[in-house]
């Protein structure tokens, strides 16, 4: 470096050795170079001017110092120019290595992406109010459609309580009362209990069926019933019924029951539950046996009827089919059923639905029938022919229905000397075991008699179970119209509960007869009371017409 500075110092006296300002990279450096170059020039001229002033004013020491400073400045300037040149080369290499074009493209892509995101955000903000409205309206509905695991709740069984048991039975009775009232009113309409009401109902129904208004009529009746229920709920006293309601005495609930009363209550409830379940089982078993061709002659009628209905529904237009069905139902309900109830023999011969239903056996009847058939088999051929020619002893056969009504000593109507049309009601086909207490008789043999009690359409029959020869003459037959009073009776007042007897008063006895020791006392009492009320109602309805 010292040698280079010496070379620069040697060339410093010549003006053309300095760098041209145009060749300088920066203008500021060029300006600095010009100022630096001009200053040494002026400093060089000063000694000459001084020399021109006189030879004695020239100083060699001062001239050496000026040259030394100028050479140092030139060295520094050359070093700065070289460093600048090196830095420019490094900058150019760095630009080539960093690939600025790709960086600019990526930067442009990011800028475009940012613009798209801003556009989406703006669109979302614009639809924010609409989405909020949708959420407020349909969020609850959407939550309802969300699938969730089913919650299994285990119901705890309540402990047995006499009070709770009594309350549940009363609730069941109150809940079933509207159904029973509706059924009773329909039966009264079909039986023409009130002639004017049934006639008006028949005319209105047939007019609606003739014009095809059957379904609108039933809907209007339902709306009318709901409107009446609303008025009743608001406090109005509206009571409309074809048959007057029979008010039953309500027993006040007892808080403290003795052990015997609780036991009797459990027995009564068990008896009612047994009877209810038995009726339900009979209905279900009849339907099952009817559909399973247990008695082919009955199921065949149903099968043919279904085929006729199917062909009619395919060939006839629905309007005509509905008209035919409506007219048939009206005539069947108001006229044909009334004739069949008034003439039981016609019903047993020509009422197909009644024949199918009454003759459909239950599983219990099938079991009893099979056991009786096995017990009646006789190994000899002659006895078999006699059995095939005549009905077995003790069995009364309904020729048209194919049913047998048996007693211990022969056909039912022969034992009690009744017409053949008198047969036990379905509720008491096997009778109720009981004992007859005739308080008009003083001898023990006539005072109490064990036997079976039956109810027919017009009579109350008691068959004595004694095996003596003259016992058939002691059977008791009571006409239902001759009954003056019928009540539940408790033979021994010291026993718990409401008793197990029925008291019946007739004009021929001074004291009411009592049928005691009856396990199914409530069922028998309801059946006798219902049949008695039906006979009295039909008799009172026939008398004004005659």
């Amino acid at each position: 470096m010292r040698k280079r500075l010496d070379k620069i110092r040697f060339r410093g006296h010549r003006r053309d050795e300095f760098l041209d300002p145009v060749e300088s990279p920066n203008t500021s450096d060029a300006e600095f170079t010009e100022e630096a170059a001009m200053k040494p020039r002026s400093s060089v001229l000063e000694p000459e001017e001084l020399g021109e002033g006189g030879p004695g004013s020239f100083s060699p020491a001062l001239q050496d110092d000026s040259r030394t400073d100028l050479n140092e400045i030139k060295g520094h300037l050359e070093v700065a120019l070289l460093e600048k040149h090196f830095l420019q080369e490094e900058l150019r290499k760095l630009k080539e290595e960093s690939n600025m074009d790709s960086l600019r493209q990526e930067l442009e892509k990011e800028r475009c992406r940012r613009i798209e995101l801003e556009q989406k955000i703006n669109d979302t903000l614009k639809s924010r109010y609409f989405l909020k409205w949708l959420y407020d309206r349909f969020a609850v509905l959407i939550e309802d459609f969300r699938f969730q695991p089913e919650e299994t709740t285990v119901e705890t069984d309540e402990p047995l309580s006499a009070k709770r048991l009594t309350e549940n039975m009363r609730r069941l009775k109150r809940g079933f009362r509207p159904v029973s009232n509706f059924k009773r009113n329909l039966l009264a309409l079909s039986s023409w209990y009130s002639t004017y009401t049934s006639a008006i109902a028949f005319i209105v129904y047939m007019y609606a069926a003739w014009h095809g208004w059957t379904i609108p009529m039933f809907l209007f009746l339902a709306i009318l019933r709901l409107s009446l229920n609303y008025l009743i709920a608001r406090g109005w006293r509206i009571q409309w019924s074809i048959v007057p309601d029979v008010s039953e005495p309500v027993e006040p609930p007892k808080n403290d029951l003795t052990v015997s009363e609780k036991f009797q209550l459990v027995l009564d409830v068990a008896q009612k539950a047994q009877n209810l379940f038995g009726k339900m089982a009979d209905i279900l078993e009849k339907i099952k046996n009817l559909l399973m061709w247990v008695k082919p002659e009955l199921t065949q009628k149903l099968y043919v009827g279904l085929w006729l209905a199917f062909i009619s529904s395919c060939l006839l237009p629905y309007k005509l089919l509905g008209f035919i069905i409506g007219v048939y139902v009206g005539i069947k309900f108001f006229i044909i059923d009334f004739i069949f109830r008034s003439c039981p023999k016609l019903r047993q011969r020509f009422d197909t639905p009644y024949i199918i239903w009454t003759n459909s056996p239950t599983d219990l009847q099938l079991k009893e029938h099979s056991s009786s058939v096995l017990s009646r088999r006789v190994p000899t051929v002659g006895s078999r022919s006699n059995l095939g020619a005549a009905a077995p002893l003790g069995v009364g056969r309904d020729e048209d229905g194919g049913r047998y009504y048996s007693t211990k000593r022969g056909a039912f109507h022969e034992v009690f000397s009744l017409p053949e049309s008198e047969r036990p009601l379905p509720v008491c086909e096997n009778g109720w075991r009981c004992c007859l207490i005739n308080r008009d008789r003083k001898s023990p043999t006539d005072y109490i008699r064990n036997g079976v009690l039956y109810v027919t359409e017009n009579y109350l029959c008691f068959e004595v179970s004694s095996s003596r020869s003259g016992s058939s003459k002691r059977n008791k037959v009571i006409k239902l119209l001759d009954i003056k009073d019928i009540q539940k009776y408790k033979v021994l007042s010291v026993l718990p509960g409401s008793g197990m007897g029925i008291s019946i008063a007739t004009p021929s006895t001074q004291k009411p007869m009592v049928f005691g020791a009856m396990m199914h006392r409530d069922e028998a009492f309801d059946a006798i009371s219902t049949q008695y009320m039906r006979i009295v109602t039909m008799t009172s309805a026939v008398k004004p017409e005659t």
Side-chain angles (χ1 to χ4, degrees):
M1 180 61 69
R2 185 69 178 175
K3 293 180 179 180
R4 293 183 64 183
L5 290 176
D6 292 341
K7 291 180 179 179
I8 293 171
R9 189 185 305 128
F10 177 77
R11 293 192 303 265
H13 298 284
R14 296 168 56 181
R15 183 177 178 85
D16 52 359
E17 292 293 331
F18 291 98
L19 291 173
D20 193 0
V22 180
E23 296 177 0
S24 177
N26 293 325
T27 309
S28 60
D29 296 337
E31 292 176 355
F32 176 77
T33 307
E34 289 179 357
E35 291 177 358
M38 290 298 293
K39 286 179 180 180
R41 182 179 179 86
S42 60
S43 62
V44 173
L45 291 175
E46 287 177 0
E48 293 179 356
E49 291 176 356
L50 290 174
E52 291 177 357
S57 60
F58 179 77
S59 175
L62 183 60
Q63 187 176 3
D64 292 336
D65 293 334
S66 299
R67 289 179 179 176
T68 303
D69 294 335
L70 183 60
N71 290 332
E72 289 179 358
I73 290 170
K74 287 182 180 180
H76 288 300
L77 180 60
E78 186 177 10
V79 171
L81 292 175
L82 291 173
E83 290 179 355
K84 180 179 179 181
H85 179 70
F86 293 149
L87 291 174
Q88 286 179 351
E89 290 293 332
E90 291 179 0
L91 180 61
R92 183 177 61 79
K93 291 179 181 180
L94 289 174
K95 286 181 179 181
E96 292 178 355
E97 293 177 356
S98 60
N99 197 359
M100 292 298 292
D101 295 336
S102 61
L103 293 177
R104 287 194 184 94
Q105 292 177 0
E106 292 179 0
L107 181 62
E108 189 67 25
K109 290 180 181 179
E110 293 295 333
R111 188 180 293 110
C112 295
R113 189 178 300 174
R114 180 181 60 81
I115 294 173
E116 291 178 358
L117 291 176
E118 290 178 354
Q119 186 67 26
K120 290 181 180 179
I121 292 172
N122 294 331
D123 295 340
T124 305
L125 293 176
K126 289 180 181 178
S127 60
R128 183 178 181 181
Y129 177 78
F130 179 70
L131 293 176
K132 184 179 180 181
W133 179 80
L134 288 178
Y135 179 80
D136 295 338
R137 284 297 183 91
F138 301 103
V140 178
L141 183 61
I142 294 173
E143 289 291 333
D144 294 339
F145 280 98
R146 180 177 294 178
F147 291 98
Q148 296 179 356
E150 185 178 359
E151 298 179 358
T152 56
T153 57
V154 180
E155 297 182 359
T156 58
D157 296 334
E158 297 183 2
L160 182 62
S161 171
K163 183 178 179 181
R164 186 68 174 175
L165 189 61
T166 307
E167 182 63 25
N168 289 338
M169 291 300 298
R170 289 175 180 171
R171 288 171 55 198
L172 179 62
K173 192 173 183 180
R174 288 195 301 266
F176 192 73
R177 187 175 300 166
V179 180
S180 60
N181 293 338
F182 178 72
K183 183 180 179 181
R184 189 172 65 252
N185 288 326
L186 285 181
L187 183 62
L189 269 179
S190 178
S191 301
W192 293 76
Y193 176 80
S194 176
T195 308
Y196 299 104
T197 305
S198 298
I200 293 172
F202 176 70
I203 293 172
V204 171
Y205 177 82
M206 293 303 295
Y207 182 82
W210 185 265
H211 291 83
W213 299 341
T214 307
I215 296 177
M217 182 192 67
F218 285 118
L219 294 177
F220 175 75
L221 290 177
I223 294 172
L224 182 62
R225 181 73 258 183
L226 286 177
S227 302
L228 292 177
N229 292 341
Y230 173 76
L231 296 178
I232 293 172
R234 299 288 293 180
W236 291 43
R237 292 184 178 180
I238 301 174
Q239 293 182 356
W240 182 84
S241 178
I242 302 174
V243 181
D245 295 334
V246 180
S247 60
E248 299 179 357
V250 179
E251 298 179 359
K254 298 181 180 180
N255 296 328
D256 297 331
L257 297 176
T258 61
V259 177
S260 60
E261 289 177 345
K262 291 181 179 180
F263 180 73
Q264 184 63 33
L265 179 62
V266 171
L267 288 180
D268 294 340
V269 173
Q271 179 183 354
K272 293 180 180 179
Q274 170 188 332
N275 299 334
L276 178 62
F277 293 155
K279 292 178 182 178
M280 295 174 61
D282 290 343
I283 293 173
L284 295 176
E285 287 174 358
K286 283 189 174 186
I287 295 174
K288 182 201 69 171
N289 294 331
L290 180 63
L291 298 178
M292 295 303 296
W293 296 80
V294 175
K295 296 192 85 173
E297 63 274 9
L298 299 178
T299 311
Q300 185 178 2
K301 296 179 181 179
L302 178 63
Y303 187 74
V304 173
L306 291 176
W307 269 110
L308 291 176
F310 172 73
I311 295 172
S312 301
S313 64
C314 293
L315 299 179
L316 297 179
Y318 285 104
K319 187 175 182 180
L320 179 60
L321 187 63
F323 169 75
I324 295 173
I325 293 175
V327 172
Y328 170 75
V329 170
I331 296 175
K332 176 83 167 57
F333 181 79
F334 286 98
I335 298 177
I336 298 177
D337 287 347
F338 174 72
I339 296 173
F340 283 157
R341 288 193 186 94
S342 302
C343 305
K345 289 186 177 181
L346 291 177
R347 186 174 193 179
Q348 293 169 5
R349 293 183 62 182
F350 300 106
D351 193 358
T352 304
Y354 174 79
I355 294 172
I356 292 175
W357 181 253
T358 54
N359 293 335
S360 296
T362 61
D363 292 346
L364 183 61
Q365 292 175 351
L366 290 174
K367 185 177 180 181
E368 293 177 353
H369 180 69
S370 61
S371 61
S372 63
V373 169
L374 291 175
S375 64
R376 290 169 186 164
R377 285 183 179 177
V378 181
T380 61
V381 177
S383 61
R384 288 181 182 176
S385 62
N386 293 333
L387 286 174
L393 184 62
V395 176
R397 188 177 187 272
D398 184 4
E399 296 179 358
D400 300 315
R403 301 184 65 182
Y404 292 91
Y405 298 96
S406 63
T407 62
K408 290 188 176 181
R409 293 174 192 84
F412 184 86
H413 66 281
E414 295 177 357
V415 172
F416 295 103
S417 300
L418 297 175
E420 294 184 3
S421 59
E422 293 294 334
R423 291 173 173 81
L425 298 178
V427 72
C428 63
E429 289 182 352
N430 298 322
W432 297 294
R433 300 286 304 179
C434 63
C435 63
L436 173 60
I437 304 173
N438 192 349
R439 293 184 290 179
D440 291 340
R441 304 294 179 92
K442 295 182 179 180
S443 61
T445 56
D446 294 336
Y447 184 74
I448 298 177
R449 302 176 188 175
N450 294 323
V452 182
L453 183 65
Y454 298 93
V455 179
T456 65
E457 292 185 358
N458 299 296
Y459 295 93
L460 186 65
C461 305
F462 178 79
E463 181 186 7
V464 179
S465 60
S466 177
S467 60
R468 289 176 294 182
S469 59
S471 61
S472 61
K473 297 181 180 179
R474 300 163 60 181
N475 293 337
K476 194 71 177 178
V477 178
I478 304 172
K479 196 173 183 178
L480 293 178
L481 291 176
D482 295 339
I483 296 176
K484 297 194 307 184
D485 186 24
I486 177 172
Q487 293 180 358
K488 295 181 180 180
Y489 188 77
K490 187 175 181 180
V491 180
L492 298 176
S493 59
V494 296
L495 295 177
S498 59
M500 301 174 66
I502 298 175
S503 173
I504 296 177
T506 61
S508 61
T509 57
Q510 296 178 359
K511 296 180 181 180
M513 292 180 293
V514 177
F515 296 93
M518 190 179 298
M519 292 298 297
H520 304 286
R521 192 273 306 273
D522 294 337
E523 179 185 358
F525 180 81
D526 294 339
I528 297 171
S529 301
T530 303
Q531 187 64 21
Y532 172 74
M533 292 297 298
R534 183 178 301 172
I535 292 298
V536 172
T537 301
M538 293 177 63
T539 305
S540 61
V542 171
K543 283 182 179 180
E545 295 179 359
T546 58

